[in-house]
Amino acid sequence: MEEASQACVIERRPAAGGKPSVTYRYAGDRYLLAEYGEMNFDLTLNFIVQAVDGALQRTPFEGLIEAAPGFRSILVSYEPRSCRLAGLIEHLDRIYDGIPDEKSLVIPSRRIYLPIAFDDSQTREAVTRYAQLIRADAPNVEGGTNVDYTVRYNGFSDREELYAAVLGAELWTAFIGFFPGLPFMFPLDPLRFIFVPKYNPTRTWTPEGAVGIGGPCYSIYPVESPGGYQLIGRTLPIYDLRQRNSAFKSDPILVRPADRIVFHRVSEQELLDGFADVHADRYQYRIEDAPFDVSAYLAYLERIRPEAEAWRHAREEAAQRTPVA
Amino acid sequence: MSSPHDRSLEILEAGIHSTVQDFPGRRGYQARGFFPAGPMDAFALRAANLLVANDEGAAGIEITLGKFAVRFTCETTAALTGAAVDATLNGEPLSLWGTVHVAAGDELRIGMAKGPGFRVYLAVAGGIDVPLVLGSRATYTMGALGGLDGRLLKKGDHLSLLPSTTAPRRYRFEADAVPHYSREWEIEVMRGPQADPDFLTPEDLSTFFASPWSVGHNSNRVGVRLGTTHFTWARKTGGVAGGHPSNILDNGYPLGGINLNGDTPVILGPDGPTAGGFVVIATVVGGALWKLGQLRPGSDAIRFKEVDYAAAASLTRDLEARLSGEHLVEI
């Protein structure tokens, strides 16, 4: 089986010309996994993924069925009978060569403004059910909420500090997946970065619209479902197959990769009224085109580096003092 | 209820898990979080469609284990394929892998599939008429969409049929063209995307290919759960992605990917998650995917056979040749 060793890597392309390396991997005979850069938690790799994915969508290729972005990779599905693998890799290489290096990337993106009701009764209900049915002694369910645990784990002095971090963050949608319409989102601003362990074991019920954080990642639950993220509040529907609101007319899924989500605070009653308004098509989602300038972002990161490091240290020290969920 | 022009099926007995499915399912939406759904044994549904002169993408019924009965409200043709099962039309024995003429009022019944095999497929001329949802009629029960109201079929359901234009001729598959069913399966896979040497050791992969694996009790359309294992791993931890070496930064999953969630391998089925943060150490090749639909939870065993790209292509060619129509005999 000598020839089979390293058999899952088809080709590695070293980093060159300011661009990260690319690794093409077999994922069976009908999928190809293209990975960009090394395994680092670096949003820049996702910006590259978005740029490649965008170009891939604009450039039809015989036999290419679909492409699904991940954090730093794209899973390409193809029909092997009409598409030569070597030809597909050449196509991906040409696309990668054609995108500018990260410092001059501008990524088509939208800003979506959504209301959030913090620590609302539905997310508290999910936490209470979990404590009653699954694990009462979990450190993250004290007081029937995950909010206080999230505050403590990140070293915030009170809930308002946590809420300020959430409200001030612009959340970058790295990809959609796991379940229909579920966005994986990361704060662009390292000063708003939050980390919190996931549930152990997972929760069996989460309300529609719940906003959760797991590890460094934010998400919104598109439908009632199981889940493992710490819940901090609830927002409006982001998925509606029945297309009751105009926002879902062309597409039942609101959030797309490369969208940025910005939350503003509302009361629980306002949120519940919002649900009714969404379903009656009286609510208009506020969505604006806002191309994302990577060079301006990288310059910002450079400017705030010392501050970001200090925040990371403070956060990690607080985490050391807090039991893992 | 039924008018003279009504073309439909009435479900008399629904079995434990029967759904409307079409091939290849809901393609083109993985980036939005949809795995394809569709038949877990696509070969069997495509074969059933071929027998009733349907387009291979026509919707049929996937029946898990059996215990299923329908009444036809119209004259038409139908075909059963998949796991061997006692089947009758108005009480008369009926063979699988062949076309059958039915008259209005006829009742088709199947008993329990005793194995080998686990799923039976029913195609009817024209195909099942349920609304297209994101381009497909396939049922995805977890997302409550597709098929009949996004749910399992139940007793009393009426399923409309699309018009059928082809003259109803009858065929059967040559015995050699029907795939071999077993209780000890050999499933062809390709290594990766995340195997050795970066994630697992070459010895881990040797163990993986040498070991027999049991098909877990709680296997279903989401995934086939295998027994637990203890790999050595090439890394101590998942680094930035998490504590366990099976953790990676989230990426898209392939259908048929063998996903290592901690120490439990799961073969991702058509209703599986589209993405996640665990390694996929090997992937079932296209020509072997049909086998996942016929594995019996709690009793069957699997061995994985590593094949290369060329062997995978030849497996697909062989399977497609069986569906070309050349192996049908008119009866």
Side-chain angles (χ1 to χ4, degrees):
Chain A
M1 296 298 283
E2 202 172 308
E3 66 194 58
S5 77
Q6 299 210 27
C8 59
V9 174
I10 309 167
E11 200 180 310
R12 277 189 214 272
R13 222 181 112 145
K19 284 184 179 176
S21 63
V22 186
T23 307
Y24 296 110
R25 293 175 180 273
Y26 284 113
D29 61 335
R30 308 189 316 155
Y31 297 88
L32 167 73
L33 185 69
E35 290 177 336
Y36 297 90
E38 305 306 316
M39 203 189 292
N40 296 321
F41 180 69
D42 176 2
L43 277 178
T44 312
L45 298 175
N46 189 256
F47 302 151
I48 290 165
V49 162
Q50 304 294 349
V52 172
D53 184 54
L56 207 48
Q57 286 179 39
R58 290 189 298 271
T59 327
F61 189 76
E62 172 75 26
L64 192 158
I65 296 167
E66 60 181 308
F71 187 86
R72 63 169 188 112
S73 62
I74 302 179
L75 183 73
V76 181
S77 148
Y78 64 96
E79 171 49 68
R81 281 172 294 157
S82 54
C83 174
R84 231 168 29 87
L85 183 59
L88 179 59
I89 289 174
E90 281 165 24
H91 181 62
L92 288 164
D93 274 342
R94 268 194 306 275
I95 282 178
Y96 191 54
D97 290 337
I99 65 160
D101 72 47
E102 61 195 39
K103 288 187 189 63
S104 31
L105 269 182
V106 177
I107 301 169
S109 168
R110 306 179 306 169
R111 212 180 265 119
I112 303 180
Y113 297 87
L114 290 172
I116 184 169
F118 288 113
D119 201 33
D120 67 297
S121 58
Q122 287 294 292
T123 52
R124 292 184 65 95
E125 171 67 20
V127 176
T128 302
R129 282 196 206 177
Y130 179 80
Q132 283 170 352
L133 300 173
I134 298 173
R135 190 178 161 200
D137 69 342
N140 57 322
V141 301
E142 270 172 42
T145 178
N146 301 146
V147 170
D148 295 332
Y149 179 73
T150 308
V151 166
R152 211 161 69 239
Y153 200 88
N154 287 278
F156 293 121
S157 56
D158 59 20
R159 291 176 164 208
E160 289 305 318
E161 275 193 18
L162 167 67
Y163 296 163
V166 174
L167 296 170
E170 202 165 84
L171 302 174
W172 176 261
T173 307
F175 58 99
I176 306 284
F178 187 72
F179 204 76
L182 192 141
F184 287 76
M185 309 180 295
F186 300 86
L188 284 164
D189 186 348
L191 301 176
R192 311 287 182 183
F193 196 83
I194 294 172
F195 190 98
V196 66
K198 297 172 193 172
Y199 273 49
N200 177 25
T202 53
R203 186 175 54 236
T204 51
W205 180 76
T206 315
E208 177 187 3
V211 178
I213 307 175
C217 180
Y218 278 66
S219 196
I220 301 171
Y221 289 78
V223 293
E224 286 186 24
S225 59
Y229 282 18
Q230 309 293 340
L231 303 179
I232 57 165
R234 195 166 174 232
T235 185
L236 290 176
I238 58 162
Y239 171 71
D240 186 14
L241 261 189
R242 292 163 65 189
Q243 303 178 308
R244 287 165 288 189
N245 188 281
S246 309
F248 301 108
K249 277 289 179 287
S250 62
D251 190 329
I253 294 169
L254 188 72
V255 186
R256 303 177 196 156
D259 281 345
R260 284 115 83 198
I261 304 294
V262 181
F263 287 118
H264 59 275
R265 191 173 185 173
V266 296
S267 70
E268 180 165 6
Q269 191 53 53
E270 287 171 301
L271 184 77
L272 295 176
D273 293 346
F275 261 83
D277 289 343
V278 166
H279 293 153
D281 203 13
R282 288 188 302 260
Y283 183 88
Q284 197 180 352
Y285 286 83
R286 189 177 155 210
I287 301 171
E288 61 190 27
D289 280 321
F292 183 72
D293 183 341
V294 175
S295 70
Y297 174 67
L298 293 176
Y300 172 76
L301 290 190
E302 207 47 55
R303 258 195 330 273
I304 56 132
R305 189 181 292 280
E307 243 182 303
E309 277 300 297
W311 164 229
R312 187 170 65 83
H313 279 295
R315 215 181 53 237
E316 285 173 0
E317 276 181 25
Q320 296 278 329
R321 296 191 300 267
T322 314
V324 171
Chain B
M1 290 266 287
S2 48
S3 76
H5 304 292
D6 177 35
R7 283 177 43 82
S8 69
L9 303 178
E10 183 188 354
I11 308 292
L12 304 177
E13 197 180 359
I16 56 164
H17 193 114
S18 301
T19 52
V20 175
Q21 297 295 347
D22 69 4
F23 169 82
R26 202 159 279 110
R27 273 206 321 205
Y29 290 91
Q30 182 155 352
R32 322 302 303 282
F34 293 89
F35 231 29
M40 201 160 173
D41 175 355
F43 180 89
L45 179 58
R46 293 170 69 194
N49 275 326
L50 188 62
L51 289 164
V52 296
N54 280 350
D55 183 278
E56 66 173 5
I61 301 178
E62 176 178 282
I63 303 155
T64 308
L65 203 57
K67 287 277 203 187
F68 181 88
V70 288
R71 182 186 295 126
F72 296 85
T73 67
C74 58
E75 185 183 353
T76 186
T77 57
L80 285 171
T81 57
V85 67
D86 288 334
T88 60
L89 186 70
N90 301 324
E92 294 296 316
L94 183 66
S95 300
L96 269 66
W97 303 97
T99 319
V100 60
H101 281 307
V102 297
D106 280 1
E107 289 183 14
L108 184 152
R109 292 184 175 273
I110 64 173
M112 188 87 90
K114 297 184 181 71
F118 193 58
R119 288 182 174 82
V120 180
Y121 291 83
L122 172 65
V124 183
I128 309 288
D129 184 13
V130 290
L132 286 166
V133 177
L134 302 176
S136 165
R137 297 186 167 87
T139 311
Y140 173 48
T141 53
M142 277 174 48
L145 63 93
L148 189 63
D149 304 328
R151 61 167 170 81
L152 302 182
L153 297 177
K154 59 177 197 259
K155 187 177 173 177
D157 280 341
H158 284 263
L159 292 171
S160 295
L161 298 170
L162 287 161
S164 150
T165 49
T166 328
R169 296 165 76 171
R170 293 171 59 213
Y171 302 94
R172 66 173 170 78
F173 262 78
E174 285 173 4
D176 288 353
V178 175
H180 175 65
Y181 287 37
S182 174
R183 294 176 192 274
E184 291 179 4
W185 298 84
E186 181 177 78
I187 297 185
E188 293 84 353
V189 301
M190 284 175 64
R191 199 178 286 226
Q194 289 104 9
D196 61 311
D198 299 345
F199 301 92
L200 292 162
T201 64
E203 293 71 33
D204 286 334
L205 266 296
S206 302
T207 307
F208 174 74
F209 288 116
S211 314
W213 294 90
S214 57
V215 177
H217 277 284
N218 47 357
S219 299
N220 52 34
R221 288 177 47 85
V222 174
V224 176
R225 292 176 185 280
L226 308 178
T228 54
T229 178
H230 293 285
F231 286 133
T232 316
W233 297 97
R235 320 179 288 169
K236 286 278 171 287
T237 75
V240 292
H244 195 277
S246 65
N247 291 157
I248 51 171
L249 288 173
D250 291 54
N251 65 188
Y253 286 153
L255 175 64
I258 300 170
N259 192 216
L260 216 51
N261 185 338
D263 287 326
T264 305
V266 176
I267 313 176
L268 300 168
D271 291 355
T274 63
F278 293 103
V279 294
V280 168
I281 63 170
T283 307
V284 177
V285 299
L289 273 177
W290 67 271
K291 296 176 183 176
L292 302 185
Q294 298 300 348
L295 299 172
R296 286 178 79 86
S299 64
D300 281 3
I302 302 174
R303 272 178 201 276
F304 294 105
K305 179 187 178 189
E306 183 169 23
V307 296
D308 62 14
Y309 198 74
S314 109
L315 212 57
T316 298
R317 269 196 305 276
D318 171 67
L319 209 60
E320 294 300 325
R322 293 167 192 237
L323 290 169
S324 66
E326 287 164 23
H327 297 275
L328 293 188
V329 183
E330 191 157 359
I331 46 177

